[in-house]
Amino acid sequence: MREAAFVKQNKDKWLEFESVLTNKTQISPSELSDLYIEVTDHLSYAKTFYKGSNTERYLNQLASKAHQNIYKTKKEPKNRLISFFKTEFPTMFYQHHRELLVAFLVFTLFTIVGAFSAANEGDFVRSFLGDGYVNMTLNNIEKGDPMAVYKQQGEFNMFLGITINNIKVALMAFAYGIMFGVGTLYIMMQNGIMLGSFQYFFYDQGLLWESARTIWIHGTIEISVIVIAGCAGLVMGNGLLFTGTLPRLESFKRGVINGLKILISTIPFFIIAGFLEGFVTRHTEMPDWLAILIISSSLGLIIFYYVYYPIKLNRINLEKDSYS
């Protein structure tokens, strides 16, 4: 679009916004924030296609003035944390379901690769899980308690250690997104292969069901949220690769912010997974129905919050827009 056409198309809106700022017209901070976002989008467009022009300079001054007004008048609500998890994050996350699907498919593919490799290469499990872990597990199987590894540490120490370790893995999955998303896919590959070889190892020992009913008590949330952290890394990587009409730096900033929001959303779930692994998984004597109930409830919680709920909120917002 030519600069003159761009100005003609949007100048009335800019002048109206400037009038609001100059005359200090009373509007709500949220309305001012929405106007500010639209002006900054126009500014980003102008920086890309009309760099150094009067249009860019004018929009830059307008955006700067709006920024000052917003952060001088906008007050954070007391229930900011609740609103983040209840509305802000799910509404934002809906637009990143594609990255979630990619992370899930890559993880699933390499889980299958891990199981296939373990089935066809004798030393594959040991090379991935380590001789120490394999020998210890075989020894536990001989003693008649294959899942004894979950009983070795104290409950709280295990909960704390596992939670911290899982958060570290999530941080890596996110941070490696800086490598245009390739680093994140590598983390998904690594963890997928580990899971596949791990489950095949127990299948090979004739303990697939016993291992699954025990491990997935905490693993349902733990593995799901690692995939979601992978989604966060892909969001950041896409900010570098697919900039749309935005300058690359601005697109990257948005990718980082949205990726961090996704990562923050996983923290409560990692705490739940750590609690289950530290305090619940060790009770291998629990009946099958209880283990299945915990696993299915965990899976239902993840699917509801990260898939169904964002879709539902998006539909509600679309209906509101259509009536307004």
Side-chain angles (χ1 to χ4, degrees), residues 70-123:
I70 290 170
Y71 288 95
K72 184 172 64 178
T73 61
K74 188 177 180 181
K75 296 180 180 178
E76 290 294 337
K78 294 179 180 178
N79 59 346
R80 178 72 175 82
L81 192 62
I82 295 174
S83 65
F84 171 80
F85 283 99
K86 186 178 179 181
T87 55
E88 179 183 340
F89 168 74
T91 301
M92 179 277 296
F93 190 65
Y94 173 78
Q95 64 185 302
H96 296 302
H97 273 176
R98 182 180 60 180
E99 288 91 338
L100 177 63
L101 179 62
V102 171
F104 172 75
L105 291 177
V106 170
F107 187 90
T108 302
L109 170 64
F110 283 103
T111 299
I112 296 170
V113 169
F116 181 81
S117 299
N120 290 277
E121 297 181 30
D123 293 331

Side-chain angles (χ1 to χ4, degrees), residues 1-72:
M1 183 186 297
R2 291 185 177 181
E3 184 179 357
F6 177 71
V7 172
K8 184 178 180 181
Q9 179 178 314
N10 298 292
K11 70 175 183 178
D12 290 340
K13 190 175 297 182
W14 300 340
L15 291 172
E16 180 184 355
F17 186 37
E18 185 178 16
S19 176
V20 168
L21 297 175
T22 304
N23 300 324
K24 298 183 179 180
T25 306
Q26 292 297 317
I27 63 172
S28 70
S30 60
E31 288 180 295
L32 185 60
S33 179
D34 291 340
L35 288 170
Y36 169 69
I37 290 171
E38 189 167 12
V39 168
T40 53
D41 283 344
H42 291 164
L43 173 60
S44 298
Y45 188 85
K47 283 183 176 179
T48 303
F49 296 102
Y50 320 122
K51 193 171 183 64
S53 66
N54 289 331
T55 303
E56 181 194 352
R57 284 191 288 272
Y58 169 74
L59 289 173
N60 190 54
Q61 291 175 348
L62 197 58
S64 298
K65 192 171 183 179
H67 183 275
Q68 292 173 0
N69 281 17
I70 290 170
Y71 288 95
K72 184 172 64 178

Side-chain angles (χ1 to χ4, degrees), residues 122-139 201:
D123 293 331
F124 186 81
V125 174
R126 288 183 176 272
S127 66
F128 233 88
L129 301 180
D131 288 330
Y133 180 83
V134 171
N135 292 336
M136 176 191 65
T137 304
L138 290 173
N139 188 44
F201 170 69

